[in-house]
């Protein structure tokens, strides 16, 4: 990738703070740096705990979107899943109401401080309204815990898959030998030095791919072409800008058989652009451009803007080394 001049990149950055409806991934406000580039808007939103070598992949994705055209699309709408945080079951109907027409739901499980019984109750509340349910443990279980969870969570109905039930590739492979529930890999792909290792090890039935952690749409499509399992495109708690880029990536895939995790914009109280509501569980493929007034209203405090600019400076020097 041709790298933009650092000063030019910094001049194009807008840092925003997006309030969330519920706590998700431990945060109630999502900060991202948006890049107003010559090819469109890009997004850099690596989570705060990520060190520069990992965060640099996210910056590469933002630079790609801002400075290079996106690939041609093969479809004009994408089926999305509802995303259900680790909320009590009585809150599930309100969460699902934000995803009209969705036929698939992804439910967060293995939340620290919660029990398997909490997960079963939440999944049961979702299953009462949505026909297809997948769960995401973010690597939170041991193999033994995952085997027990798979049995408990399928006692009243099937699961489409367990997303990243265990942390390591070896654990995922062992779990696949011990359960009939399909296993999806997320962190084992996006956090790996070799994103294809999980598939070569026979450790995944589905690959969950996210644009930002993989370094952009181009790298994502190259990985999707090599994994030889069905692909789900998901967001990394992106703003409307990042969601639009994710939709473009999903639309560019030669085959897409599963609903994608690109409806997480429903988790924000406010976003930088208006996004259409899902229709019959689908979102149109549409690249978002922020509203100037919202960029102003949602601007991060000066100290947080400075923090993000310093982070961009640090990651910019690593961009050559993260190209895949």
């Amino acid at each position: 990738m041709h790298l933009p001049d650092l000063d030019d990149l910094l001049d194009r950055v807008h840092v925003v703070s997006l309030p969330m409806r519920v706590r998700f991934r431990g945060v109630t406000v999502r900060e991202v740096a948006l890049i107003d580039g010559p090819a469109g808007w890009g997004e850099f939103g690596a989570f705060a705990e990520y060190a520069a070598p990992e965060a640099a992949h996210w910056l590469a994705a933002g630079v790609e979107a801002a400075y290079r055209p996106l690939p041609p699309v093969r479809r004009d709408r994408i089926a999305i899943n509802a995303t259900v945080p680790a909320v009590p079951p009585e809150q599930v109907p309100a969460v699902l109401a934000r995803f009209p027409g969705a036929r698939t739901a992804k439910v967060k499980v293995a939340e620290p401080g919660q029990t398997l019984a909490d997960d079963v109750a939440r999944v049961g509340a979702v299953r009462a309204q949505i026909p297809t349910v997948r769960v995401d443990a973010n690597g939170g279980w041991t193999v033994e815990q995952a085997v027990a969870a798979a049995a408990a969570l399928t006692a009243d109905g099937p699961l489409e898959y367990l997303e990243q039930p265990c942390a390591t590739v070896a654990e995922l492979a062992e779990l696949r030998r011990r359960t009939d529930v399909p296993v999806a890999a997320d962190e084992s792909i996006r956090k790996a030095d070799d994103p294809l290792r999980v598939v070569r090890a026979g450790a995944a039935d589905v690959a969950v791919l996210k644009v930002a952690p993989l370094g952009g749409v181009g790298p994502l499509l190259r990985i999707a072409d090599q994994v030889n399992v069905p692909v789900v495109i998901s967001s990394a708690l992106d703003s409307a800008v990042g969601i639009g880029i994710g939709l473009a990536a999903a639309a560019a895939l030669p085959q897409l058989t599963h609903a994608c995790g690109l409806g997480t914009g429903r988790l924000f109280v406010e976003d930088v652009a208006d996004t259409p509501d899902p229709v019959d569980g689908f979102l149109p493929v549409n690249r978002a451009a922020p509203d100037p007034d919202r960029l102003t209203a949602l601007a991060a405090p000066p100290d947080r803007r400075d923090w993000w600019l310093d982070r961009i400076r640090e990651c910019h020097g690593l961009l050559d080394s993260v190209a895949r």
Side-chain angles (χ1 to χ4, degrees), residues 206-286:
V206 175
V208 178
L209 305 183
K210 299 178 179 179
V211 171
L214 293 175
V217 176
L220 181 150
L221 293 177
R222 289 193 291 273
I223 292 169
D225 187 52
Q226 298 175 68
V227 293
N228 296 319
V229 296
V231 166
V232 171
I233 306 300
S234 192
S235 85
L237 202 54
D238 302 325
S239 77
V241 170
I243 291 294
I245 297 165
L247 289 166
L253 288 168
Q255 293 185 320
L256 185 64
T257 57
H258 290 62
C260 289
L262 295 170
T264 52
R266 271 57 209 165
L267 301 176
F268 295 128
V269 176
E270 296 181 82
D271 207 335
V272 293
D274 283 328
T275 54
D277 289 330
V279 176
D280 295 329
F282 288 80
L283 280 177
V285 176
N286 182 37

Side-chain angles (χ1 to χ4, degrees), residues 5-14 36 67 305 309:
D5 177 78
L6 176 59
D7 289 338
D8 180 71
L9 176 60
L10 294 173
D11 285 344
R12 297 175 180 274
V13 169
H14 300 257
D36 184 6
Y67 287 85
R305 173 179 167 79
L309 294 181

Side-chain angles (χ1 to χ4, degrees), residues 162-234:
L162 303 164
E163 181 174 330
Q164 199 66 43
C166 306
T168 70
V169 170
E171 288 173 322
L172 296 182
E174 181 182 349
L175 178 62
R176 285 190 73 222
R177 294 190 291 268
R178 297 180 57 182
T179 180
D180 293 330
V181 181
V183 172
D186 175 10
E187 286 90 341
S188 290
I189 296 173
R190 64 180 168 89
K191 286 179 169 285
D193 291 333
D194 177 3
L196 301 177
R197 177 173 170 247
V198 67
V199 176
R200 285 199 299 268
D205 301 283
V206 175
V208 178
L209 305 183
K210 299 178 179 179
V211 171
L214 293 175
V217 176
L220 181 150
L221 293 177
R222 289 193 291 273
I223 292 169
D225 187 52
Q226 298 175 68
V227 293
N228 296 319
V229 296
V231 166
V232 171
I233 306 300
S234 192

Side-chain angles (χ1 to χ4, degrees), residues 60-201:
V63 167
E64 178 201 58
Y67 287 85
R68 297 179 61 184
L70 292 175
V73 299
R74 301 169 184 261
R75 51 191 66 82
D76 60 8
R77 65 176 193 160
I78 303 297
I80 62 163
N81 64 248
T83 299
V84 181
V87 298
E90 60 270 19
Q91 294 183 21
V92 164
V95 173
L96 294 180
R98 301 183 194 120
F99 301 88
R103 299 175 179 87
T104 301
K106 181 171 84 168
V107 185
K108 288 292 184 180
V109 294
E111 183 81 357
Q114 296 189 6
T115 66
L116 179 56
D118 295 324
D119 295 338
V120 170
R122 185 180 313 112
V123 168
V126 173
R127 192 176 274 130
Q129 293 188 238
I130 299 285
T132 301
V133 180
R134 55 181 68 153
V135 299
D136 183 7
N138 290 117
W141 290 322
T142 65
V143 173
E144 294 298 331
Q145 290 171 330
V147 170
L153 293 168
T154 56
D156 295 325
L159 289 176
E160 185 180 31
Y161 56 70
L162 303 164
E163 181 174 330
Q164 199 66 43
C166 306
T168 70
V169 170
E171 288 173 322
L172 296 182
E174 181 182 349
L175 178 62
R176 285 190 73 222
R177 294 190 291 268
R178 297 180 57 182
T179 180
D180 293 330
V181 181
V183 172
D186 175 10
E187 286 90 341
S188 290
I189 296 173
R190 64 180 168 89
K191 286 179 169 285
D193 291 333
D194 177 3
L196 301 177
R197 177 173 170 247
V198 67
V199 176
R200 285 199 299 268

